[in-house]
Each structure stands twice: as structure tokens, then as C-alpha cells.
Amino acid sequence: MAAEMAEQPDVLRRLLARLPELAESVRGALPRRLAGSVLIARGSSDNAAVFGRYLYELASERPAGLGSPSLVTRYGARTDYTDHLVTALSQSGRTPEIVTTVQAARERGARIIAVTNEADSALAAAAHVVAATEAGTEVAVPATKTVTAQMLALVGIATALGPLPANLVDPADLAELPDAVGLVLADTTAVDTLAADWARHDRLVVAGRGLGGAVALEGALKIRETSGVFAEGISVADLLHGPIAALSARVPVLLIDVGGPTSPDIAALRERLDRDGIPHATVSPSLPALRSESARAIATTVRLQQIARAFALRRGADPDAPAGLAKVTATN
Amino acid sequence: MAAEMAEQPDVLRRLLARLPELAESVRGALPRRLAGSVLIARGSSDNAAVFGRYLYELASERPAGLGSPSLVTRYGARTDYTDHLVTALSQSGRTPEIVTTVQAARERGARIIAVTNEADSALAAAAHVVAATEAGTEVAVPATKTVTAQMLALVGIATALGPLPANLVDPADLAELPDAVGLVLADTTAVDTLAADWARHDRLVVAGRGLGGAVALEGALKIRETSGVFAEGISVADLLHGPIAALSARVPVLLIDVGGPTSPDIAALRERLDRDGIPHATVSPSLPALRSESARAIATTVRLQQIARAFALRRGADPDAPAGLAKVTATN
């Protein structure tokens, strides 16, 4: 896991160089008048999809949402995807329900983009455009380099859907991202301190909003599957809408702050937690070179990988092969 | 909470009588050619939206997904909703971010349906069609009768979007629903047994798939906010894709079986949990009169309300006014 995490600057740098070409292919594959976008994924890829969904809707100015594979594989949905863009994300390109769903969508008019690490997979074969993450083989069970590569690929695809404000996606800023991720990886002090203090907890909440909400979901999944800590990722808005009542001094909260327009929400939640006596820590790597929210979200995802791994090591778990997990899941 | 739960047969019976008229209004408000549907909600209403989303997509044969209010309220999205149906669900009709999002969607072409218990609310004022749940004032903080009424309203709206198979939605079956919910409420034995055994756990997982996945999300939220137990609702497919590794003998699983095409998924997970030595129980009320999945999902939601309340009472919590929760949340 550590070795694959360390490859991220190189993986992201190589992918960055291919983003203009990817965006061009996406532009060529779009319907004349886009009606909406659907992203389909499971697990870590699903969290990358939540991240991409914000960028897609803001860039295309058409509704973007997450698809549910069971609609096709269990309920036999015959959804008409005319004028829709469907983006499927699967590291292996082999998750059966994702492949089945994409094939059905293509038969019914969807333009398909596959974001995958396996350019010769069944998923890639079903797509009009393949966004190959080319992250190299991922051996450790917890997905790391493939997730941040998926996120960057989604940034590239989104730029083909329409303009995005520079505080969200900024090409100059993206060029800094590989080095920034290198800095995050090199700085382990904050993570070690957090793990020393927090790894003993059996439960924790990881909260963010917007792009930071997607990072929170991914961070929680990574912590859960790597360390066995029962971490729950949640949107700050959803947390305030109810579950905050179930928190106590025994359930600390990791706050994900990726900057941007949801940063005040994080600050407000922090005040509320202080008032209620609930322990919290904020994950927000100090990266002055990165000003755009999408780049900061990717760098913060790397920070949470470090946290997940540090928790696992502190708890005596093997971060490379957590109990009960296989690399390719065969849900269909 | 118990008093409001007990009103559900009457609330559902009254709403059932109004469903044909509601479906007619929806038909009149639809765009000539529907491009897609978006459902917008928070908290319990969001779980009802997940339920409705399956029915919408299957009936309309066009993509249906959940909207994210922060796109408008934080990121200033200018999403074009031409030919889209937007359904907003809010018990109070006053959640600021929902009202703001709906107003923005209407300005940009959406046809709006408001599912709300307050027909003179700001949300209702912003809608083309108001699906009034008319469940009466809900005093207890955990939403119960308004949630099952929202679910039934969504069934009615979905029938206006296109045909649905009888094993999913069946008018004859729906006519039996109020009495079936009465039977669920009258039968407390299974719930008391479960609570005696399970209420001591601080964590549990509530798992389902498809319509049963929506019921699992709502059941987990209800257990969490009513009893303080850290219950996590999750799709069976997502659970198998990773988080199952974090389960242990100390984290029991409630399996939600509402019948229909996801029932074999529940059976398969049950076998896996047996093999792994993880305690589990299946929530699937015995209601031979109900054969359609949507009706069974609503009845099962009531069963989970009972479970949430029984857990709270066993743990010495006040189910009517859980610590830290207000009835109308002001997230915006």
C-alpha cells in the first residue's frame, strides 16, 4: 500500500500529460445536446464518482447523478439514455454489474466513457472513450493510486463538458498537483500524531461537504477497510440533519476541509463540536501552491490514505491485505 | 413517536384515496418528452427519495437520480432543467437549501413536484404540483408517519410516469397496505425479542438492496437518531465491495428483505455472515396479503420504526426527543 501510494506523483504526472487528448476525445463523443450525465461505480470508484458528479454538473450545466447498477441487474430497467453521457468507473474494468449496466446503457443510446486502469477490459470494450488511468498494477487491496488517478481523469473529462471557474479547476494549479502530492507523502508528522491519539477509537465520523464530502466518503472507506475502524463518511449537511445526535465524546470527528465554498460549513461544524464537547481534528494539508478546490481534494485524499494506513499499523492490522477483502468484487 | 406511528394506517388510507387525483395532476405537469428526473431531500426524506428513485426510473424509462443542494447553495450551479422533473421532499417544506434549490431549478425549466406535509409552505409555493402528505402535525423528532406517507406519495407519482410491473407496484396490493401496517404495529413480539438481544450493541449495520436498500438507510437513520446506536445503513452490494471486512462478532447486521428481485442477494449475504460468524437478523414482516415490493417496503419501514423505538426504550433514551436534534434543520 505504501509503495503504491508513493507512486502517485508519477501516476498523476503521466495522466496530466494525457488530459488534453482525453478532453478532446470526450468532446468528440458528446451528444449534440447533452440532456444529463450519469456516473456508475462501486466502492472507492463510487467515491471518485461523487467527486466527479459536482464537476460534471457545474461544467455541463445539466443534471448529473449517480446510477444504481441494481436497476439493470436486478430490476431489468430499460432506461432510455438518448442524449445522456454515462461514465463508468472501475479499476479492474471487470466488476460484472458495472459492465452489464454500461452495455445496457449503450444499447439504449448512451455515450459511454470508461475510467479504468485496464484499457483492454470488458468495460473499456463497451465504451466510446476510454480514460485509461495507467496507474500500473495495484497489488494492495486498498485502492490508492487508482482512486486519485480516477479523480484527476474526471477533472479532465469535466473540462470537456463546459467551462469551470478557476477556484474549482485551474490548469496551472493541476500542473502543481504531482509535486504537491509528493509533499503530502513526505510529511508524516501530522499523520503520526493523529494516529497516536486516534487509532484506539473503534468508531469515528469523517465529515465534509461538496468535493470535500466525496473525499470524506473515500477517506472513511479507506480507514474502514484498511484498519478495521468503523469510520462513517458523511456530508456535513446530512450530519447536521440528524446523526449528529448520536455523536459523543467516544465518537471523534475528522473534518475534511478542501477549501472553496464549503470551507465555512466545516468551520461552523467545528464550532458546534467544540460546544458539544465532541473531539475533532481537521484534515487540510498545508499546500499554499494549490489554490483550486479539485486539486486540493485530490491531495487531501492522499492524506487520508496515510491516515488509514497509520491507523492500521497502530492497530496491528495488515494494510496490504485486510481481512475479508478481495481485489475484484464480483457483485452483479 | 408511538402515537404518531400508530396513526400510519389512517394516514396511508387517506393518502391512498387521493393518489389517483395526484397522479392525474402529475401527468398534466410533465414535460412533453421527459429527459430525466431528479429528487432532492435531506434526512429521512432523502431515504424516501432513494426509494422513489427506483420507481421513477423504472416507470419513466429515463435516468432518475438524487440532487445535491450544495451544487446550488454553495457552488452556484446554473443547471438547465429543461424537460426534467424535479421532486423535492421536505416534511416541513421549510428546509432552506431545499427551497432554494427548487426555486433555482424552476427558474431553469424544471417541472416541480413538492412532497410535503405542509401544503402552505415555501416549498409548496415553488411547485407545479403539491403532493400533500396530510399526515397531521408530527411532534416527535424522529419522522415516522410523514416518511411512509412520502413513500406512498412517490408510488403514486411514479405511476404517472409510466407502467410498472405488478410485482413492484400493484393497486390492489396498495389497498391492503393500511391494514397490513396495522398488523405490523400490533405485532410487537418479534421487535421486543430483537431489542432484548440487540439493544446493548453500540454499533450495527443495516443492509438491503434496491427498494430494500432505501428501507435499510431509513431504518439505520431512525435507529441512530432515536436510540443513539451507531447504525449504518448500506447497500448489500456496497457492503460486499469492502466494508464487510470491518465487521466482526461485535457488529451485528440487520438484513432487510422486502421480497422481489433483491431477495436472493439478502439470502446470499446471510450465508456469508453465517460463514464468517457475524451475528445477523432478518427484518421481513410476515404479511402474506402484500405481494408487491413497494408495499412491502413501506410496511418494513414501519417495522424498523418499532425496532428503533424499542432500542431507545431499552437504552433509557427518550425516543420522542433525542438529544441534539431539532425538528426543522436549517442547513442551507
Side-chain angles (χ1 to χ4, degrees):
Chain A
M1 184 179 180
E4 291 168 358
M5 284 165 57
E7 293 171 30
Q8 290 176 105
D10 287 342
V11 169
L12 295 171
R13 196 173 287 114
R14 290 197 305 266
L15 181 54
L16 259 179
R18 291 184 289 117
L19 281 195
E21 183 195 345
L22 171 60
E24 199 49 45
S25 305
V26 172
R27 267 182 222 106
L30 289 178
R32 205 168 49 84
R33 190 175 174 285
L34 185 70
S37 304
V38 177
L39 295 103
I40 298 172
R42 282 280 179 211
S44 292
S45 302
D46 205 29
N47 300 327
V50 174
F51 167 82
R53 176 271 175 96
Y54 285 92
L55 302 179
Y56 273 42
E57 182 156 334
L58 290 165
S60 68
E61 300 195 332
R62 292 296 273 169
L66 302 189
S68 175
S70 67
L71 274 164
V72 169
T73 63
R74 291 295 178 271
Y75 291 97
R78 300 171 56 86
T79 308
D80 173 2
Y81 280 99
T82 305
D83 294 333
H84 276 77
L85 181 68
V86 169
T87 302
L89 300 102
S90 165
Q91 178 266 127
S92 69
R94 289 187 287 151
T95 304
E97 61 177 352
I98 306 282
V99 175
T100 303
T101 299
V102 160
Q103 287 167 338
R106 180 162 180 159
E107 276 170 27
R108 297 184 201 289
R111 308 300 294 180
I112 312 279
I113 303 175
V115 181
T116 177
N117 204 34
E118 300 295 336
D120 57 357
S121 60
L123 180 62
H128 295 98
V129 174
V130 178
T133 45
E134 292 183 11
T137 308
E138 196 167 56
V139 178
V141 168
T144 54
K145 61 182 181 177
T146 56
V147 179
T148 47
Q150 284 173 338
M151 292 170 78
L152 181 58
L154 289 169
V155 171
I157 297 165
T159 60
L161 305 182
L164 282 163
N167 64 354
L168 204 57
V169 174
D170 179 358
D173 218 30
L174 287 176
E176 301 291 332
L177 179 62
D179 286 347
V181 166
L183 290 176
V184 170
L185 288 165
D187 161 30
T188 57
T189 316
V191 169
D192 291 340
T193 309
L194 185 74
D197 212 31
W198 282 45
R200 68 194 154 83
H201 289 285
D202 284 329
R203 295 157 53 176
L204 60 88
V205 166
V206 189
R209 196 167 186 200
L211 299 193
V215 174
L217 292 175
E218 170 57 12
L221 176 58
K222 209 87 315 172
I223 290 170
R224 208 160 43 190
E225 65 180 23
T226 307
S227 73
V229 172
F230 197 73
E232 182 188 14
I234 191 166
S235 137
V236 169
D238 285 325
L239 182 67
L240 291 171
H241 206 104
I244 197 165
L247 299 183
S248 69
R250 292 180 305 128
V251 188
V253 180
L254 272 187
L255 295 157
I256 308 302
D257 187 355
V258 297
T262 63
S263 216
D265 292 293
I266 307 303
L269 177 57
R270 193 183 297 120
E271 279 176 35
R272 163 82 186 263
L273 295 173
D274 273 335
R275 214 166 55 229
D276 294 356
I278 294 164
H280 59 82
T282 301
V283 180
S284 183
S286 172
L287 296 165
L290 295 190
R291 290 164 311 275
S292 70
E293 194 180 346
S294 58
R296 296 189 65 85
I298 294 171
T300 308
T301 301
V302 175
R303 176 64 90 216
L304 282 156
Q305 297 166 356
Q306 291 175 296
I307 291 172
R309 186 169 172 276
F311 280 11
L313 294 175
R314 282 251 164 205
R315 296 169 67 93
D318 176 1
D320 294 322
L325 277 174
K327 186 72 188 161
V328 177
T329 35
T331 49
N332 52 30
Chain B
M1 182 179 181
E4 291 167 359
M5 284 165 57
E7 293 170 30
Q8 289 176 105
D10 287 342
V11 170
L12 295 171
R13 197 172 285 114
R14 289 197 305 266
L15 181 54
L16 259 178
R18 290 184 289 116
L19 281 196
E21 182 194 347
L22 171 60
E24 200 49 47
S25 305
V26 171
R27 267 183 221 107
L30 289 178
R32 205 168 48 83
R33 190 174 174 284
L34 186 69
S37 304
V38 177
L39 296 104
I40 296 170
R42 282 281 180 211
S44 292
S45 301
D46 205 29
N47 300 328
V50 174
F51 167 83
R53 175 271 176 97
Y54 285 91
L55 302 178
Y56 272 43
E57 182 156 334
L58 290 165
S60 68
E61 299 194 332
R62 294 296 274 169
L66 302 188
S68 175
S70 67
L71 274 164
V72 169
T73 62
R74 290 296 176 271
Y75 291 97
R78 300 172 54 86
T79 308
D80 174 1
Y81 279 99
T82 304
D83 294 334
H84 276 78
L85 181 67
V86 169
T87 302
L89 298 103
S90 166
Q91 179 267 125
S92 69
R94 289 186 286 150
T95 304
E97 62 177 350
I98 305 284
V99 175
T100 303
T101 299
V102 160
Q103 287 166 339
R106 180 162 180 157
E107 277 170 25
R108 298 186 201 288
R111 306 302 292 181
I112 311 279
I113 303 175
V115 181
T116 178
N117 205 33
E118 302 294 337
D120 56 357
S121 60
L123 179 61
H128 296 98
V129 174
V130 178
T133 45
E134 293 184 10
T137 308
E138 196 166 56
V139 177
V141 168
T144 55
K145 61 181 180 177
T146 56
V147 178
T148 48
Q150 284 173 338
M151 293 169 79
L152 182 57
L154 289 169
V155 171
I157 297 165
T159 61
L161 305 182
L164 282 164
N167 64 354
L168 203 58
V169 174
D170 179 358
D173 219 30
L174 286 176
E176 301 292 330
L177 179 61
D179 285 348
V181 166
L183 290 176
V184 171
L185 289 165
D187 162 30
T188 56
T189 316
V191 170
D192 290 341
T193 308
L194 185 74
D197 211 31
W198 282 44
R200 69 194 154 83
H201 290 285
D202 285 329
R203 297 158 51 177
L204 61 88
V205 167
V206 188
R209 196 167 186 201
L211 299 193
V215 174
L217 291 176
E218 170 58 12
L221 176 58
K222 208 91 315 174
I223 290 170
R224 207 160 44 191
E225 65 180 23
T226 307
S227 72
V229 173
F230 197 71
E232 181 187 15
I234 191 165
S235 139
V236 169
D238 285 325
L239 182 66
L240 291 171
H241 206 105
I244 198 164
L247 299 182
S248 70
R250 291 181 305 127
V251 188
V253 179
L254 272 187
L255 295 157
I256 308 303
D257 187 356
V258 297
T262 63
S263 216
D265 292 294
I266 307 303
L269 177 58
R270 193 183 297 121
E271 280 176 34
R272 162 84 187 259
L273 296 173
D274 273 335
R275 214 165 57 230
D276 294 357
I278 294 164
H280 59 82
T282 302
V283 180
S284 183
S286 171
L287 297 165
L290 295 190
R291 289 165 312 274
S292 70
E293 194 180 345
S294 59
R296 295 189 65 85
I298 294 173
T300 308
T301 301
V302 175
R303 176 64 89 217
L304 282 156
Q305 297 165 358
Q306 291 175 296
I307 291 172
R309 185 168 173 276
F311 280 11
L313 293 175
R314 282 251 165 204
R315 295 169 67 94
D318 176 1
D320 294 324
L325 278 174
K327 187 72 188 159
V328 178
T329 35
T331 48
N332 52 30

